Amino acid sequence: MDPRSEVILRQLSFFKGSVLLAGLPADQLIHELKPQVSSLFAWSWHFGDYSALTQLSSNCHFSAEPPEQQFDQAIIFLPKSKELTDYLLQRIASRLKPQGELFLVGEKRAGIERAAKQLQPYGKTLKLDSARHCQLWQCNLSGPVSDKPLAEWAKTFVLEPFDQLKVVSLPGVFSHGHLDMGTALLLQHLDKLPKGDLLDFGCGAGVIGCFLKKKHPQQTVHFMDVDAFALAATRFSLAANQINEDDTVQLIAGRGIADAPHNLGAIISNPPFHQGIRTSYQATEDLLNQAVSHLDNTRKVKGELRIVANSFLKYPPLLQNRFGHCHTLAQGHGFHVYQAIRS
Ligand SMILES: C[S@@+](CC[C@H](N)C(=O)[O-])C[C@H]1O[C@@H](n2cnc3c(N)ncnc32)[C@H](O)[C@@H]1O
């Protein structure tokens, strides 16, 4: 069981009434808490966790928006981003009944001590437990909290060198409020892509896919991410660039490349290297290993994978293994752009 869940279970007697669990891991916590409270609701913005949670409970919600109903209590699992913590606290506090209680649980190395200070504006706080390298904090709401909708948390920036492309990002989304240097290098090397559908894998705020859609309005662009905030930001970015969400624009919540469409002309990505607070290359290794089977291989189109990655990452051998080759299209500022074409 996740250590944060273990800490919650050590303090079971504090939980009662209708309880919202936000950002929870997909472990047995729901089963253990259920007999204690009158109702439980699970809100996850991670599609992998959400999919696993739906096997454990019918009351699950995948979104960047909190559920509409009101709760007696909410337990927030501390996310990596400070801005996302602010967002969750504010929006969830606004969903609590009068005299509602907010709980915040997180690992010390994820910054729970610092995050507990973010709780203070909402009422009196108390550290309930410290165990398993985690802490659990409680806050009794001191008064009603007004809601601030998702759109008001967005940051917009304009990429002048890239045809004035507008990017709208949200708290917790990769490279919030600015263009990543790796992505910038990739955008400069996106010419001569094959015909056919394009996939922006791990789309974040949708910067790569929006750029591609503006350049190739006739081609279908799929935007895929595991994170509901990334997909919500992508929606905002599409609107900011006047790109209509018609049949040629597809947003996909997915656990990884296995959930992607097939017969693609190209997969373009600045692929992930994190899972929560931990470094993880699993989703990218899956991408490099399985991309071939999602790419077109007809006489007309030879599907292609084009990615940018930190130069130190050992991706070329993986690509050579699966595609029989790996071309370096560009390098700079510690990044490489790689190209592999299905033969
Ligand atoms: C390095 S960021 C790139 C974001 C954006 N494309 C850009 O260039 O700014 C990687 C993205 O992959 C997403 N991601 C992580 N794991 C994933 C998975 N298993 N399946 C799909 N997307 C994933 C993250 O949420 C994140 O938005």
Side-chain angles (χ1 to χ4, degrees):
M1 192 175 279
D2 187 287
R4 297 164 302 170
S5 300
E6 287 178 350
V7 174
I8 289 168
L9 294 177
R10 279 162 56 100
Q11 304 300 333
L12 256 189
S13 60
F14 281 94
F15 305 109
K16 52 189 176 299
S18 54
V19 180
L20 171 68
L21 295 162
L24 67 166
D27 60 14
Q28 292 302 309
L29 176 66
I30 288 192
H31 278 317
E32 306 273 339
L33 262 183
K34 225 174 228 166
Q36 178 79 18
V37 301
S38 60
S39 68
L40 267 186
F41 203 99
W43 172 28
S44 177
W45 44 94
H46 183 280
F47 194 69
D49 288 343
Y50 166 77
S51 306
L53 285 164
T54 55
Q55 308 296 312
L56 302 167
S57 167
S58 51
N59 276 348
C60 298
H61 174 75
F62 172 73
S63 177
E65 300 270 7
E68 284 301 329
Q69 60 261 53
Q70 292 223 303
F71 299 93
D72 294 308
Q73 298 182 329
I75 307 174
I76 302 175
F77 288 74
L78 182 66
K80 185 171 142 199
S81 146
K82 184 171 183 286
E83 283 149 322
L84 182 55
T85 305
D86 274 334
Y87 172 85
L88 296 172
L89 289 172
Q90 202 277 337
R91 297 228 54 201
I92 290 175
S94 77
R95 297 287 196 279
L96 291 180
K97 295 177 188 169
Q99 274 95 49
E101 286 173 296
L102 266 178
F103 296 87
L104 189 61
V105 65
E107 291 182 61
K108 287 181 195 158
R109 66 174 173 162
I112 183 68
E113 205 103 40
R114 158 204 39 89
K117 296 197 179 77
Q118 292 172 262
L119 256 183
Q120 285 168 1
Y122 297 96
K124 202 165 160 298
T125 63
L126 181 69
K127 194 200 299 181
L128 291 184
D129 201 353
S130 180
R132 318 273 198 273
H133 305 291
C134 299
Q135 292 179 358
L136 173 64
W137 287 78
Q138 178 193 36
C139 172
N140 293 302
L141 278 200
S142 54
V145 175
S146 58
D147 199 11
K148 182 174 146 186
L150 183 64
E152 290 182 28
W153 297 81
K155 282 185 190 167
T156 302
F157 53 100
V158 180
L159 306 182
E160 286 177 19
F162 300 105
D163 206 15
Q164 303 290 323
L165 188 79
K166 293 194 181 81
V167 183
V168 185
S169 74
L170 285 168
V173 174
F174 175 76
S175 199
H176 182 38
H178 65 276
L179 180 66
D180 173 66
M181 289 212 311
T183 307
L185 184 67
L186 182 61
L187 292 182
Q188 291 163 54
H189 296 90
L190 286 182
D191 48 350
K192 297 199 182 114
L193 285 173
K195 296 211 170 358
D197 286 13
L198 306 172
L199 169 66
D200 177 356
F201 177 81
C203 59
V207 49
I208 298 169
C210 286
F211 177 78
L212 290 171
K213 188 64 191 164
K214 279 182 86 173
K215 249 178 110 171
H216 307 283
Q218 308 305 330
Q219 279 174 264
T220 294
V221 178
H222 304 265
F223 297 79
M224 178 188 253
D225 208 287
V226 75
D227 178 15
F229 285 91
L231 294 168
T234 293
R235 238 178 213 120
F236 287 143
S237 295
L238 287 164
N241 290 290
Q242 278 100 41
I243 303 172
N244 289 333
E245 268 193 62
D246 59 17
D247 289 353
T248 66
V249 171
Q250 300 286 333
L251 271 69
I252 308 168
R255 287 161 290 190
I257 187 65
D259 291 337
H262 290 87
N263 301 318
L264 295 164
I267 302 172
I268 322 293
S269 187
N270 178 354
F273 43 87
H274 281 114
Q275 159 78 30
I277 58 165
R278 290 177 183 78
T279 301
S280 166
Y281 300 108
Q282 190 58 53
T284 300
E285 285 174 13
D286 291 347
L287 169 70
L288 306 189
N289 281 320
Q290 296 166 32
V292 169
S293 62
H294 292 267
L295 291 171
D296 213 344
N297 183 27
T298 54
R299 210 155 46 85
K300 278 202 192 137
V301 181
K302 297 280 171 230
E304 170 181 337
L305 174 65
R306 206 176 286 190
I307 63 164
V308 66
N310 275 301
S311 303
F312 65 82
L313 294 170
K314 303 271 178 277
Y315 293 156
L318 283 174
L319 289 171
Q320 267 150 13
N321 185 25
R322 301 301 295 173
F323 289 82
H325 65 272
C326 169
H327 303 305
T328 297
L329 291 185
Q331 52 186 296
H333 304 291
F335 294 94
H336 272 67
V337 175
Y338 300 116
Q339 177 196 46
I341 301 168
R342 186 166 176 186
S343 55

